[in-house]
Amino acid sequence: MSIIRREDYLQLFEEKKSSFIREFTEETPMNFFKSPDIAYRYRAEFGLLKEKEEYFYSMTQDGKKVAISSFPIGSMKIQNIMPLLLIKIQSNPIISHKLFQIEFQSSRNEEAMVSLIYHKELGNEWLEKASNISDELDISIIGRSKNKKIIIRNNYVTETYQYLDKNFSIKLYEQCFSQTNPYICDSMLSWVIDNLQAENDLMELHCGLGTFTIPLSYYFNRVLATENSRPSIQALQENIRLNNIENVYSGRLSGKETLEAFKGLRTFRRLKDIDLEQFKIDSIFLDPPREGLDSSTLRNIIGIKNIIYISCSMDSFKRDLQALKSTHNIIKLAMFDQFPYTEHIESGAILSKKN
């Protein structure tokens, strides 16, 4: 990677901040949250490149694999493991043969998990060699090939998030979406909780493995949290148990399906143990994928009093806010620099229904 300098980051952050301000003409209070300028990325994936009998981590640039010699934006745990693991790969043909992708996930609790992904079947010999590496580097290793997955130690790392004056821990499972930058995640959690208009019950769409669900559950009577990914909803249920939460009700549904069920338009066996009529939903938390909210979801949330919206795409964020402005006032806006040194902007909005 190119040399990273703090002054470059601060300049880029100010450019993003100015760009964010230009996107909105309303006189709405805005908050802006910086990231650390190095060692902020706790999840990363690389290809494996072989040149002159030597292996290198690689990233894709202009459609071509490019070898990298360092990764300063990675967590210190990832930075420390990378060269040690590469030595093991270089010296062990059973590990290196047909290995094409390597994924790292770490936490501020100093846990690390590495996924090794292959174009071959993994057998006992691979398991023995990988287990030795797991012990020597003190990491969890997951081997993946077609229709097979081998877990050595754990298939998760445990992260502790901090918001306002509180904290909580959750398990971040392999192949489940999680925040790559835990420092910005702390900022997002603090901003959301600090601006809540909590009254009765909350609906959360696209809840993932519970990063927002767990802290939000302390401020509402009940939370209805749904997610369309089977691994993520299983992870959510484990994190609910881990944190001894008793007021979260979860189901594997898309956002559109959740709202249709809540309005009585459809019934789902996946919600058979949840009495939706008992919920008094006056707040909804949204953290949708990049494409934003579909038209059905936009129609079905206009009657909800409070909307908390976190977005990873400025285009869909602006489009959806424009649609919601006919029924809601935008009370607060925020920019979170989740991915420094890129043009990417993570956004937040707090909306309240017009009288």
Side-chain angles (χ1 to χ4, degrees), residues 3-164:
I3 295 172
I4 286 177
R5 299 182 303 176
R6 179 166 177 74
E7 55 268 32
D8 292 338
Y9 171 64
L10 294 176
Q11 179 183 340
L12 288 166
F13 178 82
E14 289 302 320
E15 290 172 4
K16 284 187 184 181
K17 182 176 174 180
S18 297
S19 173
F20 188 88
I21 292 169
R22 286 195 300 270
E23 295 288 355
F24 302 97
T25 57
E26 301 89 348
E27 293 294 322
T28 304
M30 297 182 184
N31 299 109
F32 302 90
F33 297 92
K34 292 188 184 77
S35 168
D37 55 298
I38 59 170
Y40 57 82
R41 191 176 177 99
Y42 278 63
R43 198 179 77 234
E45 63 180 52
F46 305 96
L48 189 65
L49 184 63
K50 189 175 184 181
E51 294 180 345
K52 297 179 181 179
E53 300 305 313
E54 187 174 358
Y55 286 100
F56 299 91
Y57 295 108
S58 71
M59 301 182 79
T60 301
Q61 186 175 19
D62 299 325
K64 183 182 177 182
K65 279 189 173 184
V66 178
I68 64 166
S69 57
S70 64
F71 192 61
I73 67 172
S75 70
M76 292 310 302
K77 187 73 172 178
I78 290 177
Q79 291 189 56
N80 290 336
I81 292 168
M82 285 178 68
L84 300 176
L85 179 62
L86 199 58
I87 291 169
K88 302 293 184 184
I89 292 170
Q90 182 70 41
S91 62
N92 199 317
I94 291 170
I95 296 296
S96 62
H97 182 56
K98 293 196 175 182
L99 171 64
F100 72 96
Q101 187 167 311
I102 303 167
E103 298 175 355
F104 293 88
Q105 184 146 7
S106 62
S107 72
R108 290 175 293 186
N109 295 336
E110 289 300 302
E111 297 177 20
M113 168 176 65
V114 176
S115 298
L116 304 176
I117 305 167
Y118 289 87
H119 287 311
K120 70 173 182 181
E121 190 170 333
L122 303 179
N124 291 333
E125 200 172 10
W126 179 90
L127 176 59
E128 180 184 349
K129 299 294 183 185
S131 297
N132 290 339
I133 295 172
S134 171
D135 291 339
E136 290 164 8
L137 300 186
D138 192 23
I139 58 175
S140 295
I141 291 181
I142 295 160
R144 281 200 270 129
S145 61
K146 187 178 181 180
N147 300 323
K148 188 160 188 178
K149 180 175 179 178
I150 299 174
I151 300 169
I152 302 170
R153 294 200 184 188
N154 298 315
N155 64 335
Y156 63 85
V157 296
T158 304
E159 178 61 77
T160 299
Y161 292 110
Q162 298 149 11
Y163 65 102
L164 302 181

